[in-house]
Amino acid sequence: MIVGAGVFITIPFMLKELPGPYALLGWLAAGGLMLVDGLIWSELGATMPGSGGSYLYLLECYGRNRWGRLMAFLFIWQFLISGPLEIASGVIALEQFSTSIHPAWKEFNEQKTITAQIGTWNDGEETKSLTVSIGPTRILGTLIIVGLLLLLYRRISTLGKWTVTFWLGVLGAIAWILLAGASHYQSAVAFDFSGDASRWPDHFWLRLGKVMILAMYSYLGYYNICYIGDEVRDPGRTIPRSILLSALLVCLMFVGLHLVMLGVVSWTEVVKENPDDINLPAMVMERVYNAQWAATWMSVLLMWSCFGSAFAGLLGYSRIPFGAARQGHFFAALGKVHPVLHIPHVSLLLVVGMTLFWSFFDLANVINALLTTRILEQFIGQIFGVMLLRRLQPNRPRPYKMWLYPLPCGLALVGWLFMYLCAGWPFVLLGLGTLGMGAVVFLIWSFKEKSWPFISVEALKNKT
């Protein structure tokens, strides 16, 4: 789930914000945030090793029969927005990679694509725009989403072998780039401080925040073991080890991929292109082998990786609102199971529909939206949650305690808030607006369900 196409699709956007080698600072800063946040995930996962991840932690930390119900509901609420956004980003990346299969397909797509601008805003440095588009690659993305739905509309026991083939495609793409790129790597090209990189970047901190958002988007998934905590052997040791090793290794891998690719193709060439239209790995392969076939095969591998990422996302993310609904913490309709296939078909259809909707937007805004809708409720909610749990339940068994507590909590809070504010005011409002709307919907739902806060905790326990 972590090592998908994110690292390949985000680098051109990073270079647009921080020129040349300065873009590496985004990977390192986001990697540091990932490590301190991983300590929080590790303590929560080791203390409460059940399936559900954030849903379980927020429910327990804030009180299972009181505020925890609100926090769990809001997590699922925002997840129904951010989850499809994350999957849609992989589909959009697939569409973008497909244009490097053959020059004629790229030209055809450019001629037939219609783009509409929905709105513009100033982020304190430049004017940004929100756009939607329809064209050959967008139609391809729609067909792929429908194909994924058909593929997933079957018993889960038949899907295991597919995940292995997708995984092999991801590893093949990464290994090929690392080996081929390393053989043609030039340090003078990778650390070229000419042009805009010859001086300290203007508005550095704002730009760094934007690059960190792109890097953290690529890192997302370092905590995925927490969603299957009750299936982990010796969770008190295994969960922290998995999270922290994943965070460290993926940071090193992505920095390595960044250096290898920009040690073959100069960053000055990359920034001349529109980041929505560039396929950096294909450019690297075409440069290494001096042939179109290398770019074509790399594009096919990347498309396969994106397809696999979307497949895994739809499979896993459709189960989260389903599980919450079955436990009585979300809308009951999403807890329905198909009578023949025994899959959560209502939840799956909802996630697929939301993914299809977001897949027509531009990639940079989709990435910003998915991060900002998660930061407040999930990541910051867990920071205060782990501190609250220590205060209210000090004697609870904790097989793993984060190092230097509460310093990691403070650093993580500063890091997430910094990224949130750097995303731009439309996305700040999106995060606040979705939370506020979710709280209103929760009150309406709770009133109809006759649950807290409209009945006492004692009455709720008796009802349960």
Side-chain angles (χ1 to χ4, degrees):
M1 190 66 183
I2 313 175
V3 189
V7 61
F8 304 118
I9 202 72
T10 53
I11 290 176
F13 290 97
M14 290 179 168
L15 293 171
K16 184 181 177 183
E17 300 295 343
L18 286 178
Y22 290 110
L24 282 170
L25 296 176
W27 289 115
L28 297 174
L33 174 57
M34 176 173 55
L35 284 168
V36 294
D37 190 61
L39 294 173
I40 297 168
W41 281 94
S42 296
E43 179 165 323
L44 290 171
T47 304
M48 295 173 281
S51 291
S54 297
Y55 159 71
L56 172 64
Y57 307 151
L58 295 171
L59 183 66
E60 189 69 26
C61 290
Y62 290 88
R64 183 172 287 271
N65 293 315
R66 294 175 65 91
W67 292 101
R69 291 178 61 83
L70 171 63
M71 296 298 288
F73 182 94
L74 289 177
F75 168 71
I76 302 300
W77 175 265
Q78 64 83 25
F79 198 86
L80 282 175
I81 301 172
S82 65
L85 277 166
E86 184 179 351
I87 302 168
S89 69
V91 175
I92 298 169
L94 185 151
E95 298 164 3
Q96 183 173 322
F97 290 141
S98 74
T99 59
S100 298
I101 290 179
H102 196 277
W105 169 246
K106 181 177 182 179
E107 183 180 354
F108 177 73
N109 180 66
E110 291 173 350
Q111 292 174 350
K112 301 299 181 182
T113 296
I114 301 172
T115 301
Q117 184 173 283
I118 297 177
T120 61
W121 68 92
N122 190 291
D123 68 349
E125 182 187 15
E126 60 180 329
T127 300
K128 300 284 188 177
S129 61
L130 177 66
T131 61
V132 295
S133 59
I134 181 70
T137 56
R138 298 296 192 184
I139 295 172
L140 172 64
T142 300
L143 293 175
I144 284 173
I145 292 172
V146 173
L148 285 168
L149 175 61
L150 296 176
L151 185 62
L152 290 166
Y153 225 78
R154 63 192 66 230
R155 291 180 182 274
I156 195 170
S157 57
T158 65
L159 301 177
K161 59 180 177 292
W162 284 100
T163 61
V164 177
T165 59
F166 295 137
W167 180 62
L168 291 174
V170 174
L171 293 183
I174 291 174
W176 193 15
I177 289 174
L178 287 174
L179 292 174
S183 65
H184 290 71
Y185 173 78
Q186 300 179 61
S187 59
V189 176
F191 293 94
D192 179 9
F193 282 93
S194 64
D196 290 339
S198 62
R199 62 183 185 278
W200 189 253
D202 298 329
H203 307 285
F204 171 76
W205 292 107
L206 176 60
R207 290 171 177 264
L208 177 64
K210 294 177 181 178
V211 175
M212 284 178 65
I213 290 173
L214 294 165
M216 189 57 74
Y217 159 73
S218 301
Y219 288 146
L220 285 180
Y222 56 92
Y223 45 77
N224 272 8
I225 190 174
C226 294
Y227 290 113
I228 55 169
D230 58 0
E231 301 177 58
V232 175
R233 182 184 303 162
D234 191 10
R237 295 183 61 194
T238 306
I239 289 179
R241 186 178 298 174
S242 170
I243 293 171
L244 297 176
L245 281 177
S246 293
L248 179 62
L249 292 175
V250 78
C251 182
L252 293 174
M253 182 189 298
F254 286 2
V255 169
L257 285 167
H258 181 109
L259 287 172
V260 164
M261 288 190 287
L262 293 179
V264 176
V265 176
S266 172
W267 69 268
T268 57
E269 296 180 55
V270 177
V271 296
K272 293 178 182 178
E273 305 288 337
N274 184 339
D276 285 310
D277 299 327
I278 192 170
N279 183 343
L280 180 58
M283 290 178 64
V284 171
M285 288 304 156
E286 190 171 8
R287 184 70 52 84
V288 169
Y289 294 96
N290 196 28
Q292 173 62 38
W293 67 263
T296 298
W297 277 107
M298 176 51 65
S299 299
V300 170
L301 278 175
L302 293 174
M303 290 173 66
W304 186 250
S305 300
C306 292
F307 187 85
S309 178
F311 171 87
L314 286 174
L315 175 62
Y317 287 0
S318 62
R319 269 66 181 175
I320 293 176
F322 162 77
R326 299 283 279 193
Q327 295 293 325
H329 296 118
F330 209 66
F331 300 112
L334 295 176
K336 293 182 178 178
V337 177
H338 194 281
V340 177
L341 301 174
H342 305 293
I343 61 172
H345 62 298
V346 177
S347 181
L348 176 61
L349 288 171
L350 176 61
V351 174
V352 168
M354 296 280 289
T355 300
L356 185 61
F357 172 76
W358 294 121
S359 66
F360 290 94
F361 288 80
D362 54 294
L363 182 61
N365 287 321
V366 165
I367 292 174
N368 275 323
L370 82 88
L371 256 297
T372 50
T373 50
R374 284 190 186 183
I375 286 175
L376 293 179
E377 170 61 18
Q378 184 176 22
F379 296 110
I380 293 181
Q382 288 184 177
I383 292 171
F384 289 105
V386 73
M387 293 191 292
L388 194 62
L389 195 68
R390 279 207 180 196
R391 180 180 178 183
L392 298 179
Q393 301 182 34
N395 297 322
R396 183 167 185 153
R398 288 175 173 82
Y400 173 84
K401 289 186 176 182
M402 72 178 75
W403 308 321
L404 303 177
Y405 175 84
L407 181 61
C409 296
L411 292 174
L413 179 62
V414 171
W416 286 118
L417 286 175
F418 173 65
M419 285 174 50
Y420 182 71
L421 295 174
C422 288
W425 66 263
F427 300 103
V428 170
L429 292 180
L430 176 66
L432 292 172
T434 52
L435 269 186
M437 188 183 302
V440 172
V441 173
F442 171 79
L443 290 174
I444 297 172
W445 174 71
S446 297
F447 179 77
K448 290 185 175 181
E449 293 288 315
K450 294 182 174 57
S451 62
W452 184 88
F454 297 100
I455 64 172
S456 66
V457 174
E458 290 73 18
L460 181 61
K461 289 180 179 178
N462 294 332
K463 180 182 175 182
T464 304

mmCIF file of all heavy atoms in Angstrom, residues 87 148 250 336 346 357 382:
data_model
loop_
_atom_site.group_PDB
_atom_site.id
_atom_site.type_symbol
_atom_site.label_atom_id
_atom_site.label_comp_id
_atom_site.label_asym_id
_atom_site.label_seq_id
_atom_site.Cartn_x
_atom_site.Cartn_y
_atom_site.Cartn_z
ATOM 1 N N ILE A 87 -7.689 6.724 -3.502
ATOM 2 C CA ILE A 87 -7.788 5.758 -4.596
ATOM 3 C C ILE A 87 -7.853 6.470 -5.938
ATOM 4 O O ILE A 87 -7.214 6.061 -6.917
ATOM 5 C CB ILE A 87 -9.010 4.848 -4.399
ATOM 6 C CG1 ILE A 87 -8.924 4.112 -3.061
ATOM 7 C CG2 ILE A 87 -9.123 3.825 -5.531
ATOM 8 C CD1 ILE A 87 -10.205 3.423 -2.651
ATOM 9 N N LEU A 148 -12.486 -2.608 -11.911
ATOM 10 C CA LEU A 148 -12.124 -2.966 -10.534
ATOM 11 C C LEU A 148 -13.353 -3.385 -9.739
ATOM 12 O O LEU A 148 -13.296 -4.327 -8.944
ATOM 13 C CB LEU A 148 -11.444 -1.780 -9.852
ATOM 14 C CG LEU A 148 -9.995 -1.496 -10.263
ATOM 15 C CD1 LEU A 148 -9.551 -0.138 -9.747
ATOM 16 C CD2 LEU A 148 -9.069 -2.587 -9.742
ATOM 17 N N VAL A 250 11.040 3.025 3.956
ATOM 18 C CA VAL A 250 10.379 3.673 2.827
ATOM 19 C C VAL A 250 10.949 5.074 2.614
ATOM 20 O O VAL A 250 11.063 5.542 1.478
ATOM 21 C CB VAL A 250 8.847 3.708 3.027
ATOM 22 C CG1 VAL A 250 8.411 4.803 3.991
ATOM 23 C CG2 VAL A 250 8.138 3.892 1.699
ATOM 24 N N LYS A 336 -24.698 -3.865 5.338
ATOM 25 C CA LYS A 336 -25.365 -4.959 4.628
ATOM 26 C C LYS A 336 -24.360 -5.834 3.893
ATOM 27 O O LYS A 336 -23.352 -5.357 3.377
ATOM 28 C CB LYS A 336 -26.396 -4.407 3.647
ATOM 29 C CG LYS A 336 -27.580 -3.727 4.330
ATOM 30 C CD LYS A 336 -28.597 -3.250 3.303
ATOM 31 C CE LYS A 336 -29.808 -2.608 3.988
ATOM 32 N NZ LYS A 336 -30.793 -2.101 3.012
ATOM 33 N N VAL A 346 -22.886 -2.798 -0.386
ATOM 34 C CA VAL A 346 -23.347 -1.409 -0.300
ATOM 35 C C VAL A 346 -22.175 -0.475 -0.021
ATOM 36 O O VAL A 346 -22.011 0.567 -0.665
ATOM 37 C CB VAL A 346 -24.430 -1.259 0.792
ATOM 38 C CG1 VAL A 346 -24.846 0.202 0.938
ATOM 39 C CG2 VAL A 346 -25.643 -2.117 0.460
ATOM 40 N N PHE A 357 -16.202 9.854 -8.870
ATOM 41 C CA PHE A 357 -16.455 11.302 -8.867
ATOM 42 C C PHE A 357 -15.145 12.083 -8.788
ATOM 43 O O PHE A 357 -14.907 13.016 -9.562
ATOM 44 C CB PHE A 357 -17.359 11.653 -7.677
ATOM 45 C CG PHE A 357 -17.539 13.136 -7.463
ATOM 46 C CD1 PHE A 357 -18.379 13.863 -8.287
ATOM 47 C CD2 PHE A 357 -16.856 13.790 -6.439
ATOM 48 C CE1 PHE A 357 -18.543 15.238 -8.090
ATOM 49 C CE2 PHE A 357 -17.020 15.156 -6.240
ATOM 50 C CZ PHE A 357 -17.868 15.876 -7.065
ATOM 51 N N GLN A 382 -5.565 11.452 17.118
ATOM 52 C CA GLN A 382 -4.820 10.383 17.789
ATOM 53 C C GLN A 382 -3.735 10.931 18.718
ATOM 54 O O GLN A 382 -3.415 10.307 19.737
ATOM 55 C CB GLN A 382 -4.198 9.451 16.752
ATOM 56 C CG GLN A 382 -5.216 8.579 16.067
ATOM 57 C CD GLN A 382 -4.590 7.571 15.109
ATOM 58 O OE1 GLN A 382 -5.291 6.769 14.538
ATOM 59 N NE2 GLN A 382 -3.291 7.600 14.923
#
